[in-house]
Amino acid sequence: MLFKIHDIDTLWFAPKTAQMMDTGIFTSKALAAGKILTHKSGATNISDITIETVNSNAQQLYSTTNKVVHKLLLNGTKEVPLTDGFYESNFVDFVEQYNIIYFPTVLTYLINNVGNNTNTSMNNDSIDDYYCSVSITHRFQKNGACVMFESYDINKEINVGYFGMTQSIAFNTANHYMYVPNTIYDDITLHEPSTSIYLTPDKWRNPNLPPTSYFQLYDANATYTMNTGFCPDYGTARPEIRVEQLSDAAFFYSSFKMYQKLISGGKLYPGDRVEAVVYRILSPKYDEDFTNVSWYWVNDDIYLQVNAHKPIKKILPLPSYMIGKMVTIVESNNTTVGNIVTTDGLSINMTGTSNYAILKLSNNKEDSSGTDGADGREIELQTSDTHIQWRYVGDTLWTNLVALADLKGEPGELIGQVQADWAETDSEELSYIKNKPTDIIFEVASLTSLTEEEKTTISAQVAAILNAGGYDIDTSKYDDLILHFVDGYNDIHYHYSSFFVEDGETVSILFESENDNETIKLTVNFVGDDSATTIETLTGFSGDYNDLINKPTPRPTIELEVASLTTLTQAEKLAIRNKLSALIVDNKIDGTKFDDIVLVTTNDLIRLHYSSIDYYVANPQITVIFETQSTKYILNVPVEEYGYSTLTSTSTYTKAEIDAMFASLLEQLQN
């Protein structure tokens, strides 16, 4: 089908096949030079046309885009005209958005408009159907780096060749040198002419870690370097996602042009999203001891890449705006670095002959004379075998903070409230919860009478939560008082509404019933006369002994079942997300919806009770902490991307350890 008269000598054709019109997938049907095109009907020019040359570009789909938006922004916010001019800013964004039109819809549109005297645009914005929508922000930064924030939202089933995001032309066609860290080409390699290099998984050093940075050199001394790649902390470029979608990670073409690949092969389906942070940096030699030193910004973080092809140990001088940044290793081999950028620079020790490191520099200290900066990110702490370590919430890797050997002193006491019924003999029990006032649960089989065993047990439970004088209840020793009624037909938790101590010997505890106008009264003697401990149901009594009313009526226990305390299956992640997200009301956790949250192993041998639950609104995530005497289990559940849910554990600390740890952290931050 002839679908565009491009100019007086050029016609554009497309194959209008049943397969293409049904699926949008087509292959080109070649037109050969020397063939004759003969007029059939409906045209003014009825002369035969001889095909002189054919240029087949079926894979490119040139110009089939619409709903195009272009913007120029200063510092990411101030829009300025798309004209030449002089502006002052820290960085410049060129924003590009468009749809890649579903090609059968283009042909249908053109057919419906055949016969017009002028060419009908195949980019008309009235064409609504599309393969995918594209959003790209090209951010040009002050060191010459160009960082691209790219996303592709898929609207049709697509057979993927590859997503490259960016590429690099030949840097020097006479002597083309290149290297790719974490591959067999991690040494400086002279790319032979007429040879193409494909980075298939068998050429990676680590089969689970596809290469993320690619280097072309002007000469063997790397006088100038073109560095392109993906930021491995974001989107589809995260190694654990990308490795599942790669047949090869890049290829260096025989023309020396370099094509990197975010994903390659396979299919994408409606609703899928491909996204990444991509960069391209042209940089001169920064330091004679290193093959390349280059960096780019992602928001407030700086990603610093350091490569050396010899052993090197030195302080690498860095720009003043990096001073005070905390350093996290994202990827590396044969490399150790300091934890912070000092006035002199960054301490780096590379021990091999093909060394690389991708470092994230974060948390720059504010000048005290300036305005207040944004709130700092939350951090997490854990202990390894040798160090106390820290990281930002949401990051993957841990940074050493202080060596355990430097912590001295006697073990401290437990902090805050602990379970009122805890004793030394319980110290190894998994059900032990640190730092959480517990729920006191009174187990009964009837709401009208108590067995002797129940009276004795309940009296002892009440005695354990008395104050030091033994004449009143200490409310700091519990979270809730719960009456657990279990018989052959019922399994109900009743929550207390009030209590009243009489004569320093008995306490009356009132529990809300599920029936209106009914209150359950538990009278407990706590000085030794168990027979005076009774239970009864009162009708027509509000239970307002001391004006403590309106506590929630029976609430369920939320059980989260897992097969392991170290990993989660996809099915477990989904089930946990669904249960926990149901607790969110008005962007916060509604505590009235549950009595307890329990992490239960499949065999029911381990039941861990929660000590805290938090909901982070900005990047929707629920975090639940379960604690034993020695271990804290942290369940992180992203509400939207639940597939990235994690269950991790860290050791808990004594008071002396915590004091020493935070003193060390404060000293480092102050310095």
Side-chain angles (χ1 to χ4, degrees):
M1 172 183 170
L2 171 62
F3 72 95
K4 185 175 179 67
I5 301 173
H6 185 66
D7 57 41
I8 193 171
D9 295 316
T10 307
L11 305 178
W12 287 7
F13 290 86
K16 182 178 175 293
T17 64
Q19 178 196 23
M20 191 272 289
M21 296 303 289
D22 289 341
T23 66
I25 300 172
F26 63 89
T27 56
S28 119
K29 291 182 178 254
L31 297 172
K35 296 290 185 178
I36 303 297
L37 299 177
T38 301
H39 168 257
K40 185 174 181 181
S41 67
T44 303
N45 178 17
I46 61 174
S47 302
D48 292 345
I49 299 174
T50 301
I51 301 175
E52 296 179 355
T53 59
V54 174
N55 180 16
S56 178
N57 262 317
Q59 76 276 17
Q60 297 291 353
L61 291 179
Y62 285 125
S63 298
T64 47
T65 60
N66 70 352
K67 303 185 188 300
V68 178
V69 174
H70 288 150
K71 294 180 181 180
L72 187 63
L73 305 176
L74 305 182
N75 293 329
T77 57
K78 183 180 179 180
E79 186 171 357
V80 295
L82 288 165
T83 56
D84 293 345
F86 292 93
Y87 304 101
E88 184 173 318
S89 65
N90 290 322
F91 59 85
V92 176
D93 286 347
F94 179 72
V95 179
E96 186 176 20
Q97 297 171 320
Y98 54 88
N99 288 348
I100 299 178
I101 308 172
Y102 186 55
F103 200 67
T105 310
V106 174
L107 296 187
T108 300
Y109 174 77
L110 295 176
I111 291 170
N112 291 338
N113 289 275
V114 71
N116 293 345
N117 291 328
T118 58
N119 285 332
T120 300
S121 171
M122 61 182 179
N123 310 96
N124 195 291
D125 282 349
S126 67
I127 304 174
D128 288 326
D129 213 1
Y130 58 94
Y131 289 102
C132 69
S133 61
V134 181
S135 177
I136 305 174
T137 297
H138 305 260
R139 178 162 292 174
F140 297 91
Q141 301 177 339
K142 59 187 177 183
N143 67 328
C146 177
V147 177
M148 290 145 279
F149 303 85
E150 303 192 27
S151 65
Y152 300 78
D153 290 296
I154 309 304
N155 190 53
K156 298 287 185 183
E157 181 177 323
I158 296 175
N159 293 323
V160 178
Y162 72 92
F163 275 75
M165 305 290 196
T166 191
Q167 55 189 250
S168 174
I169 63 172
F171 204 29
N172 185 340
T173 56
N175 293 290
H176 184 249
Y177 292 91
M178 45 80 72
Y179 68 93
V180 183
N182 195 36
T183 72
I184 62 173
Y185 300 102
D186 51 11
D187 284 325
I188 295 176
T189 302
L190 179 62
H191 184 181
E192 296 294 340
S194 303
T195 302
S196 294
I197 297 174
Y198 290 83
L199 296 182
T200 49
D202 60 302
K203 297 180 175 65
W204 308 349
R205 296 293 189 191
N206 183 338
N208 295 315
L209 188 64
T212 56
S213 52
Y214 310 84
F215 295 85
Q216 295 191 79
L217 312 180
Y218 181 76
D219 52 32
N221 190 46
T223 305
Y224 298 96
T225 301
M226 176 65 78
N227 172 14
T228 66
F230 309 102
C231 181
D233 278 349
Y234 294 93
T236 313
R238 285 177 289 182
E240 68 273 16
I241 297 175
R242 186 168 169 238
V243 72
E244 300 294 333
Q245 304 181 64
L246 276 179
S247 58
D248 64 298
F251 71 96
F252 289 79
Y253 197 47
S254 56
S255 65
F256 302 144
K257 189 173 181 179
M258 192 280 296
Y259 298 86
Q260 65 187 45
K261 297 183 179 182
L262 178 69
I263 60 176
S264 55
K267 287 181 178 289
L268 292 171
Y269 299 93
D272 287 347
R273 182 180 177 89
V274 179
E275 58 183 356
V277 177
V278 193
Y279 62 87
R280 183 164 55 194
I281 310 169
L282 175 61
S283 57
K285 190 82 167 182
Y286 183 84
D287 187 290
E288 284 302 320
D289 288 320
F290 295 93
T291 309
N292 176 259
V293 178
S294 54
W295 59 88
Y296 60 93
W297 282 261
V298 178
N299 300 323
D300 292 330
D301 295 328
I302 298 174
Y303 284 83
L304 173 67
Q305 300 195 51
V306 182
N307 299 264
H309 287 85
K310 64 179 181 180
I312 180 68
K313 183 178 182 180
K314 67 179 293 184
I315 303 294
L316 173 65
L318 291 170
S320 59
Y321 52 75
M322 296 186 187
I323 295 173
K325 292 277 189 180
M326 305 297 290
V327 182
T328 302
I329 295 178
V330 179
E331 289 182 14
S332 71
N333 72 333
N334 310 317
T335 301
T336 56
V337 298
N339 291 332
I340 194 169
V341 179
T342 65
T343 304
D344 295 334
L346 178 63
S347 172
I348 296 182
N349 183 18
M350 292 181 155
T351 59
T353 56
S354 297
N355 313 288
Y356 87 101
I358 301 174
L359 310 173
K360 183 167 73 171
L361 312 185
S362 305
N363 195 30
N364 193 24
K365 299 195 312 188
E366 294 287 344
D367 188 328
S368 60
S369 62
T371 59
D372 290 341
D375 291 341
R377 293 171 58 189
E378 292 186 341
I379 65 170
E380 297 176 300
L381 299 167
Q382 74 165 14
T383 55
S384 67
D385 292 338
T386 58
H387 285 79
I388 294 173
Q389 299 174 314
W390 76 279
R391 69 180 180 186
Y392 290 114
V393 172
D395 284 356
T396 303
L397 300 178
W398 294 91
T399 300
N400 291 338
L401 177 61
V402 62
L404 293 176
D406 295 337
L407 297 175
K408 304 184 184 301
E410 296 300 320
E413 296 180 354
L414 296 176
I415 302 169
Q417 302 298 326
V418 298
Q419 284 184 225
D421 59 349
W422 178 77
E424 289 295 329
T425 55
D426 302 321
S427 60
E428 299 302 320
E429 291 294 322
L430 286 171
S431 61
Y432 172 73
I433 302 173
K434 181 178 177 181
N435 295 339
K436 175 179 181 291
T438 187
D439 294 337
I440 306 299
I441 302 176
F442 306 109
E443 304 279 355
V444 298
S446 169
L447 296 180
T448 58
S449 63
L450 299 173
T451 67
E452 292 303 315
E453 182 179 356
E454 288 171 346
K455 293 178 181 181
T456 301
T457 301
I458 292 172
S459 297
Q461 287 178 290
V462 171
I465 58 175
L466 296 177
N467 60 17
Y471 55 84
D472 202 353
I473 288 180
D474 185 348
T475 57
S476 69
K477 289 186 175 182
Y478 63 89
D479 255 350
D480 197 358
L481 303 177
I482 300 172
L483 187 67
H484 186 197
F485 171 42
V486 182
D487 63 8
Y489 304 96
N490 299 285
D491 187 349
I492 304 174
H493 288 74
Y494 297 104
H495 296 262
Y496 90 110
S497 60
S498 63
F499 67 84
F500 183 72
V501 178
E502 302 177 79
D503 304 326
E505 295 184 356
T506 60
V507 59
S508 294
I509 307 173
L510 301 179
F511 300 88
E512 292 186 346
S513 170
E514 74 275 26
N515 300 318
D516 292 339
N517 209 31
E518 280 190 359
T519 303
I520 303 167
K521 179 182 179 183
L522 182 66
T523 301
V524 182
N525 183 282
F526 52 80
V527 295
D529 186 5
D530 295 344
S531 62
T533 297
T534 61
I535 189 170
E536 58 184 317
T537 300
L538 306 176
T539 302
F541 180 58
S542 68
D544 187 11
Y545 269 142
N546 55 357
D547 206 28
L548 296 177
I549 58 175
N550 298 324
K551 288 187 70 67
T553 50
R555 298 172 290 180
T557 292
I558 308 299
E559 293 197 352
L560 309 177
E561 188 172 284
V562 296
S564 165
L565 292 178
T566 57
T567 57
L568 298 173
T569 67
Q570 286 299 112
E572 289 170 349
K573 292 175 182 179
L574 176 59
I576 290 171
R577 191 281 303 269
N578 289 343
K579 287 186 177 182
L580 294 181
S581 61
L583 307 179
I584 302 171
V585 177
D586 296 330
N587 281 332
K588 62 183 179 182
I589 298 295
D590 185 351
T592 68
K593 287 181 171 288
F594 61 95
D595 173 32
D596 195 2
I597 302 175
V598 183
L599 194 64
V600 185
T601 55
T602 307
N603 55 18
D604 206 33
L605 293 179
I606 300 177
R607 297 177 65 87
L608 301 177
H609 298 265
Y610 90 111
S611 59
S612 68
I613 181 170
D614 290 293
Y615 176 56
Y616 302 94
V617 178
N619 185 20
Q621 175 175 289
I622 300 172
T623 298
V624 189
I625 295 178
F626 306 85
E627 292 187 74
T628 69
Q629 185 180 15
S630 59
T631 307
K632 177 194 291 184
Y633 295 89
I634 305 169
L635 177 64
N636 286 314
V637 183
V639 175
E640 296 173 357
E641 297 186 358
Y642 67 88
Y644 300 117
S645 299
T646 59
L647 177 60
T648 58
S649 62
T650 61
S651 298
T652 53
Y653 316 107
T654 66
K655 186 175 185 302
E657 289 173 332
I658 292 175
D659 289 345
M661 178 173 58
F662 279 102
S664 174
L665 175 61
L666 182 60
E667 181 180 357
Q668 289 194 36
L669 294 178
Q670 288 175 337
N671 293 334

